[in-house]
Amino acid sequence: MAVVHSSATIRPTKQELLETVLDGPVEVVGAYRFDDPDGEVGVEGFLVRREDLLQHVLFSYRGAILAEDGARLVSTMEHSELGPRWIYDGATDPVAVACVRRAILGEQAQAVLELWEDGRLVGTREPAVRLSAVAGDAAGSTAGGTAGDAGDPAGVVHVLREPEEAASGPALLATWDGGRAVIARLD
């Protein structure tokens, strides 16, 4: 479960990070999270609107600098409960990409958010964006898939900044109140 410290403050805020990455004001449509199996890296995706354009941003939150070629540092953040965080473009972070791959293959579900206050669990919250693995056909339609029919796990994961309407292969479908789109695919 992804832990949310309800009384925590963060600087810069996630809204400010999104507006920096996307060069202007955005409206957050919804978000989702994955749990890192090792419990070290936070992985959070956002669907946002900028004017009429829907965009997808994946962040990873780390407690230390990532020494990985190609990893793109977006910002640093001060979290009142966790201390300094290094925020990376999740599409360039191997832990975040591995979470997305497992989700596409039906091997990892998104996280339910645990709400903590003063060191105690006070509730849970379902994410505003719901994810499901899909198997796409050549015509580009999407249908529910399982790990057994999701395709070759050796394929390349593409985290899509601009979500697509349909998948032509194994993909990750995001659904929210009022919409749905493919946010990642495996080629």
Side-chain angles (χ1 to χ4, degrees):
M1 296 239 183
V3 174
V4 176
H5 301 275
S6 58
S7 61
T9 57
I10 56 174
R11 296 286 180 256
T13 66
K14 293 176 184 179
Q15 181 77 33
E16 290 167 336
L17 287 172
L18 290 165
E19 290 177 354
T20 297
V21 167
L22 297 173
D23 297 321
V26 296
E27 170 198 355
V28 176
V29 173
Y32 64 90
R33 289 191 183 198
F34 288 118
D35 285 332
D36 167 16
D38 294 331
E40 295 296 320
V41 179
V43 179
E44 186 171 26
F46 296 88
L47 286 168
V48 300
R49 258 190 222 294
R50 184 158 182 222
E51 298 174 7
D52 289 334
L53 180 63
L54 180 69
Q55 293 188 295
H56 173 236
V57 177
L58 184 65
F59 287 142
S60 62
Y61 308 115
R62 292 180 163 268
I65 294 172
L66 174 59
E68 178 85 21
D69 286 343
R72 190 172 83 75
L73 180 67
V74 171
S75 182
T76 56
M77 171 188 287
E78 188 60 37
H79 190 290
S80 64
E81 298 287 325
L82 302 174
R85 302 282 104 182
W86 283 261
I87 315 305
Y88 285 87
D89 175 346
T92 68
D93 185 314
V95 170
V97 171
C99 289
V100 171
R101 174 185 300 281
R102 286 189 298 273
I104 291 171
L105 296 174
E107 298 170 353
Q108 180 169 357
Q110 71 189 93
V112 173
L113 303 176
E114 285 186 351
L115 306 174
W116 287 76
E117 189 170 318
D118 299 325
R120 63 184 173 78
L121 178 65
V122 295
T124 61
R125 181 176 69 215
E126 290 295 323
V129 174
R130 297 160 305 281
L131 303 177
S132 57
V134 297
D137 62 27
S141 66
T142 57
T146 64
D149 68 2
D152 178 10
V156 175
V157 173
H158 298 277
V159 176
L160 304 175
R161 177 60 56 96
E162 294 184 10
E164 299 173 349
E165 289 185 24
S168 59
L172 193 59
L173 180 68
T175 306
W176 63 95
D177 289 341
R180 61 184 243 156
V182 173
I183 58 170
R185 67 175 189 277
L186 188 61
D187 291 331

